[in-house]
Each structure stands twice: as C-alpha cells, then as structure tokens.
Amino acid sequence: QSVLTQPPSVSGAPGQRVTISCTGSSSNIGAGYDVHWYQQLPGTAPKLLIYGTTNRPSGVPDRFSGSKSGTSASLAITGLQPVDEADYYCQSHDSSLVNYVFGSGTKVTVL
Amino acid sequence: QVQLVQSGAEVKKPGASVKVSCKSSGYSLTNYAIHWVRQAPGQRLEWMGWIDEGTDKTRYSQKFQGRVTITRDTSASTSYMELSSLRSEDRAVYYCARGNYFDSAGYYFDYWGQGTLVTVSS
C-alpha cells in the first residue's frame, strides 16, 4: 500500500476547477516535509508540475497550484483543459522509511 | 538543454541481472544527484534509490536493498542501475531522474529519462 494516498480518479468539465488530495502521516507531510507533484501523460515519463508544495517550474501554467495543511497536500487545476487528462502523483520524503515516497496516483478525466 | 537518455528495452530470464544506463547532457553529473524510479504496468511510481552528486554515496529503498546497485561514470556523464535476482514482479519501466535538492523536502525530480522497459520471462 502507498504511504501517500490519493483518490483514484477525479473528473470535471472543461473550464472547471478540480482538486487532488494527497494524504500522508506524521512521518512525511505531517513532519513538515514539502510535497512535489508530477503529471504523467499516457506512455510518457513523469513531468515535474509543482515543487516545494507551491512552486511552479518555468513553463508550467499558473492554472496549476499546490497547497498543504497538516498531514495532507492538494493540487488544484483551474480552467480544466482536455490536455490536462493525465495521471498525477504527489511525492515527499518519509523519515521513518528514510525514503522518497510517491502517492498512489490520480487519473484526471476531462468530461 | 538538460536531457537524460536511457538504454533500450531488455528481456531477461528469472534470476538474471539487468543493468540500465542513463546518459546526462546539458549539465554536470557532479552537480546533481541521480535517482531511479520504477513503474510496474498500471501501478504507481516507486522510488528505488539514488547516488549523491558529490560523494558517490548511495542510498537504497529497503525493498530493493541487497538487489540494486547504482553507480556512475562522471567522465561519461552516465549513471547505471543494476538489479539482480530478477523475478516476474520486476517487470516494469525503469526511470532515471535528476534530483534537485530542496530544503525541508530532500530531493524532487526535475528531469526524467524516457524510461526503459525491463521484461522478465522464462
């Protein structure tokens, strides 16, 4: 089982706002470790979307934003577009495992 | 521009070993760590281990400890991941990724290789 838990899927109509949650524990997100997010289009390598919980790399649209509270983090996509259909993964550090851990992944569908 | 280019697909028999390469360009391998992540079909990403940018120190996931070895050749700008005692459950796409250090979060992975499919079959 994943150390970081995400909903298997979320969906929304074009233009809508969707959020993806990433629930951890006191040994990872709750310990104060930042969260990073990746987008994976079908058949391709993951792409960095958000780093340090809230920061967007150059070239990532500002429609994507991240936040964190307690033992959970969230990725929000506003103005949903068909090109956003992909799998999304959160990632953090876990002090009990002394490892880097990924979330279970969320498939975003644009209706 | 930064690129990580991996070696091609591999087919191995159970019990064998596989060694995947990852050639970096557009930056110096001595300035960034390299991490290895795998993804079984339809499954989540799974972190395997990393090699430090300055010291060659390695750290591995407990799950793969004893079976995985990560090395690098800085003169060739290439990193390697070798996985031994392969079993059918090791069938996955293996990715290398550049590790960028971020305070209070360790590394995040800002550039990824294209992936290498490893199939284990008798």
Side-chain angles (χ1 to χ4, degrees):
Chain A
Q1 68 280 11
S2 294
V3 175
L4 302 179
T5 303
Q6 300 177 232
S9 63
V10 299
S11 62
Q16 281 191 330
R17 179 180 188 269
V18 297
T19 61
I20 300 169
S21 61
C22 173
T23 302
S25 67
S26 58
S27 62
N28 42 68
I29 299 174
Y33 292 109
D34 276 293
V35 178
H36 319 295
W37 291 90
Y38 302 87
Q39 177 193 61
Q40 187 176 33
L41 298 170
T44 69
K47 169 193 167 185
L48 179 67
L49 207 59
I50 297 284
Y51 68 94
T53 301
T54 60
N55 304 286
R56 282 186 310 276
S58 172
V60 173
D62 59 7
R63 302 186 293 104
F64 295 92
S65 62
S67 62
K68 186 180 79 162
S69 178
T71 58
S72 294
S74 291
L75 174 72
I77 310 173
T78 57
L80 195 62
Q81 298 181 6
V83 294
D84 299 332
E85 278 206 345
D87 293 326
Y88 293 80
Y89 293 91
C90 58
Q91 176 243 319
S92 188
H93 180 78
D94 191 285
S95 59
S96 66
L97 299 173
V98 197
N99 267 358
Y100 293 92
V101 290
F102 287 94
S104 45
T106 299
K107 182 175 182 59
V108 169
T109 301
V110 181
L111 302 172
Chain B
Q1 73 279 22
V2 174
Q3 278 192 306
L4 285 71
V5 178
Q6 299 182 221
S7 49
E10 302 263 12
V11 179
K12 296 292 183 180
K13 294 192 182 305
S17 297
V18 67
K19 191 170 186 177
V20 180
S21 67
C22 168
K23 183 171 177 59
S24 299
S25 61
Y27 75 101
S28 174
L29 202 57
T30 57
N31 291 337
Y32 292 88
I34 288 289
H35 292 247
W36 288 85
V37 176
R38 80 175 188 181
Q39 187 173 39
Q43 301 299 309
R44 67 179 176 91
L45 300 165
E46 184 173 33
W47 181 80
M48 299 180 69
W50 64 281
I51 185 164
D52 185 89
E53 61 270 31
T55 65
D56 275 353
K57 181 182 76 172
T58 55
R59 174 164 279 166
Y60 305 122
S61 165
Q62 291 172 4
K63 177 174 179 175
F64 301 102
Q65 193 80 37
R67 281 210 303 148
V68 68
T69 305
I70 297 173
T71 56
R72 68 176 185 173
D73 178 351
T74 54
S75 66
S77 298
T78 301
S79 305
Y80 303 90
M81 186 283 301
E82 184 170 21
L83 187 63
S84 62
S85 303
L86 289 168
R87 33 206 189 233
S88 58
E89 311 90 84
D90 293 319
R91 180 178 186 272
V93 175
Y94 290 77
Y95 295 101
C96 61
R98 191 178 83 163
N100 206 330
Y101 193 78
F102 189 84
D103 244 8
S104 78
Y107 290 101
Y108 63 91
F109 314 124
D110 58 356
Y111 290 91
W112 294 66
Q114 83 276 20
T116 297
L117 175 62
V118 174
T119 302
V120 183
S121 173
S122 54

